[in-house]
Amino acid sequence: MRKILFVASEAHPLIKTGGLGDVCGSLPPALTKLGDDVRLLLPGYHDALQVAGRLRRVAQLTLPPFAAPVNLLEGKLPGTHVKCWFIDFPAAYDRPGNPYLNTHGQDWHDNASRFALLARVAVVIALDHAGLSWRPDVVHAHDWQAGLVPALLSTHTPRPATVFTIHNLAYQGVFPHATFQSLTLPHELWSMAGLEFYGQLSFIKGGIAYADRVTTVSPTYAREIQTSEFGHGLDGLLRHRAAVLSGILNGIDDKVWNPGRDPHLPAHYSRQRLAGKAQCKAHLQTELGLRAEASVPLLGMVSRLVDQKGIDLLIAALPVLLQQPIQLAILGSGEHRHEATLRALAAQFPEQLAVQIGYNESLAHRIIAGADMFAMPSRFEPCGLTQLYSLRYGTLPVVHHVGGLVDTVVDCNDLTIEQGTATGFSFQATEPEALQQAVLRALLLYRKPRRWRVVMRQGMQQDYSWMHSAAAYQELYDELLAAATKFEALTPP
Ligand code: ADP
Ligand code: GLC
């Protein structure tokens, strides 16, 4: 049984702002099912502690430079047997709402110190210095918020093996050099090959430069981030680490995303019995104030409203798209300028365009189920989960041909239809016209219901359950453990 410590800043259903939460809430239970002993370390955010239910204090730690003691609370990831440790340190985490941003949408002023604390606690647990009588074989850290974990662990021997997963290279946790000093990080970590990034402190470099293995969430994104176009200034380092870098596609949690028993839906359906999907569509149209017409194709989108997601491409494509008999349902929150534009457009085209600004887990399920097509015009996409949910729910994804979208959506054309492999529509150029063309192609197919259903069923039968991906992570852990054993065997006593 492998002992794995997951260190992350989100895990559904405790706390979630995007796909990181989905992955860290569903990969640990999948690994547990395969026989591993996985424990999850999370910041004790106000909202997460509310959801967590009964907790007990299992340790009290003193961690420089923090003056007050840090408590460790133990509970379970709700609905699973996965043990979860929360860092109870109210000065850092007792704030409701978004884990990274204040109510004005700005980063919390003390994010560096909040996530350095996460790393410090992870190290104490990893070295079995927290009095928990548990020492992981592998520490698996996720995204910049956990980036200091591999860096700090690298200064200890012996130590567990480390894996760092990049869910999104665009978010790097970069802070002034003065922060490096105020966090009292070990001096030897300050170098170009280490945490220094153009004179500043980079948390994500802590993961990329120091982890024994670096992964990202799709094979295509693993290649893309080694190029200057997608590398966000880190492509050189990633090329340098190419030998330990790989892409493992995300999976989806069948307990949460299954049209056959999704509690958020007004009706249920499956690949064999599709009737419920039409009910979901009619219900969604009514819920969003659109005319409940079965024959009008409905394009959905559920997304963070940021440039990554290509929302500007969709906005630019709208004038042409809205000339077609089509309805759109958009749910999202993010940059205020995108929110404002979408609200204004919805007021202008109330018959065709429904926009809900905000975060609404339940409505997200109903859009993905009720829509006929799902838009994902992302400029870059490490993996993307909503296109996987859409495939599962018989909603044809319309995607930009990048990152994980390349690895998961097969474009409809004569050949792929004939071969029976088509699952959606993809476009190449990062231009509104290319998106328009893809949607227009989708609308043409929509007029051929029998063909449409063939593609829909092809998407629904894809298996993106966690089992394959969790097994791929296990293989990676085993490689690391085998290497560690070999190293120990070679080291003279
Ligand atoms: P990312 O992590 O880049 O945001 P993913 O496609 O991997 O993209 O995951 C996004 C997750 O967040 C999905 O579970 C999606 O349903 C959810 N989501 C995004 N925006 C919203 C929203 N406004 N309301 C509810 N869920 C949302
Ligand atoms: C990130 C990426 C998204 C990915 C998710 C989970 O937020 O933007 O593509 O699916 O992480 O790995």
Side-chain angles (χ1 to χ4, degrees):
M1 184 194 278
R2 305 166 196 81
K3 286 186 277 179
I4 319 287
L5 176 65
F6 261 59
V7 187
S9 59
E10 302 186 16
H12 180 74
L14 293 163
I15 182 93
K16 163 175 164 184
T17 69
L20 173 68
D22 287 345
V23 171
C24 293
S26 52
L27 176 55
L31 288 165
T32 306
K33 232 182 245 163
L34 293 178
D36 287 343
D37 176 7
V38 186
R39 319 261 173 117
L40 179 60
L41 177 68
L42 282 174
Y45 307 112
H46 174 275
D47 293 2
L49 295 184
Q50 299 299 306
V51 181
R54 253 199 22 201
L55 299 171
R56 66 186 182 101
R57 192 175 84 180
V58 288
Q60 186 166 64
L61 315 169
T62 317
L63 293 166
F66 302 94
V70 176
N71 288 320
L72 211 55
L73 307 179
E74 183 175 294
K76 291 265 166 70
L77 183 66
T80 75
H81 297 296
V82 176
K83 214 174 252 185
C84 210
W85 288 314
F86 297 92
I87 305 169
D88 181 25
F89 194 68
Y93 305 128
D94 187 18
R95 305 166 195 179
N98 190 293
Y100 317 119
L101 308 173
N102 63 24
T103 43
H104 306 292
Q106 298 148 338
D107 290 346
W108 291 111
H109 69 281
D110 54 350
N111 272 351
S113 129
R114 297 168 76 225
F115 295 110
L117 175 59
L118 174 65
R120 296 252 187 219
V121 175
V123 168
V124 174
I125 296 175
L127 300 175
D128 197 13
H129 292 167
L132 300 169
S133 304
W134 187 81
R135 192 195 153 96
D137 304 309
V138 178
V139 178
H140 191 159
H142 297 264
D143 267 357
W144 77 261
Q145 294 87 355
L148 292 184
V149 178
L152 288 173
L153 274 174
S154 76
T155 64
H156 295 267
T157 27
R159 62 161 176 89
T162 53
V163 176
F164 182 67
T165 295
I166 302 167
H167 293 264
N168 197 328
L169 193 61
Y171 301 93
Q172 302 186 350
V174 174
F175 302 94
H177 177 228
T179 307
F180 177 82
Q181 290 159 324
S182 65
L183 293 175
T184 64
L185 294 168
H187 288 294
E188 67 259 41
L189 298 180
W190 187 261
S191 74
M192 231 174 78
L195 298 181
E196 193 248 342
F197 186 58
Y198 298 102
Q200 296 195 289
L201 161 65
S202 163
F203 272 49
I204 203 167
K205 275 192 79 187
I208 298 173
Y210 291 99
D212 298 318
R213 295 293 288 263
V214 179
T215 72
T216 186
V217 286
S218 70
T220 296
Y221 192 62
R223 285 190 296 277
E224 287 174 345
I225 55 178
Q226 297 179 54
T227 66
S228 58
E229 191 186 352
F230 292 99
H232 296 276
L234 289 167
D235 43 298
L237 174 61
L238 286 159
R239 285 193 298 276
H240 178 67
R241 301 235 67 204
V244 297
L245 170 66
S246 59
I248 298 178
L249 209 59
N250 285 332
I252 64 180
D253 188 341
D254 190 57
K255 276 212 308 235
V256 181
W257 293 96
N258 180 344
R261 52 166 188 238
D262 185 333
H264 300 291
L265 305 186
H268 294 117
Y269 59 95
S270 64
R271 192 168 170 270
Q272 289 77 27
R273 298 168 67 93
L274 284 173
K277 186 163 171 71
Q279 280 170 263
C280 289
K281 177 173 176 180
H283 182 279
L284 177 68
Q285 287 168 316
T286 308
E287 177 177 1
L288 296 179
L290 297 167
R291 201 149 2 124
E293 268 186 63
S295 62
V296 178
L298 175 55
L299 176 68
M301 181 165 182
V302 176
S303 184
R304 293 182 293 118
L305 299 176
V306 295
D307 286 344
Q308 174 195 344
K309 300 294 178 178
I311 184 65
D312 53 319
L313 296 178
L314 183 69
I315 289 170
L318 276 179
V320 169
L321 294 184
L322 290 173
Q323 286 168 18
Q324 301 292 319
I326 189 176
Q327 295 175 339
L328 285 97
I330 301 177
L331 165 65
S333 64
E335 285 181 36
H336 294 321
R337 63 194 171 104
H338 295 315
E339 295 182 355
T341 309
L342 285 172
R343 277 204 181 101
L345 283 164
Q348 202 181 338
F349 301 99
E351 304 263 294
Q352 284 179 281
L353 175 59
V355 170
Q356 296 275 321
I357 299 298
Y359 189 91
N360 186 334
E361 190 76 32
S362 185
L363 179 57
H365 285 245
R366 284 194 296 283
I367 290 180
I368 289 172
D372 299 296
M373 298 160 281
F374 190 87
M376 243 172 134
S378 311
R379 289 172 188 280
F380 65 93
E381 196 60 75
C383 176
L385 292 169
T386 44
Q387 87 280 14
L388 300 181
Y389 302 149
S390 299
L391 289 169
R392 183 91 173 81
Y393 280 62
T395 306
L396 273 50
V398 181
V399 305
H400 187 205
H401 193 71
V402 286
L405 302 172
V406 174
D407 298 333
T408 53
V409 177
V410 179
D411 184 52
C412 269
N413 55 44
D414 291 342
L415 183 68
T416 55
I417 289 201
E418 195 187 316
Q419 290 172 338
T421 53
T423 57
F425 299 87
S426 69
F427 60 95
Q428 302 276 344
T430 319
E431 306 286 347
E433 293 75 22
L435 167 60
Q436 278 160 9
Q437 284 308 316
V439 176
L440 294 178
R441 283 198 291 127
L443 295 184
L444 277 180
L445 189 74
Y446 189 78
R447 297 286 153 227
K448 299 174 182 147
R450 250 171 15 115
R451 282 195 143 198
W452 182 269
R453 274 196 297 275
V454 169
V455 179
M456 199 165 145
R457 288 202 163 99
Q458 175 65 14
M460 293 179 89
Q461 78 172 13
Q462 302 304 305
D463 181 5
Y464 287 112
S465 66
W466 265 113
M467 286 308 133
H468 303 292
S469 308
Y473 279 109
Q474 285 191 318
E475 230 170 85
L476 182 100
Y477 300 150
D478 282 344
E479 280 168 29
L480 281 171
L481 297 180
T485 317
K486 208 160 86 190
F487 180 72
E488 271 161 30
L490 292 175
T491 314

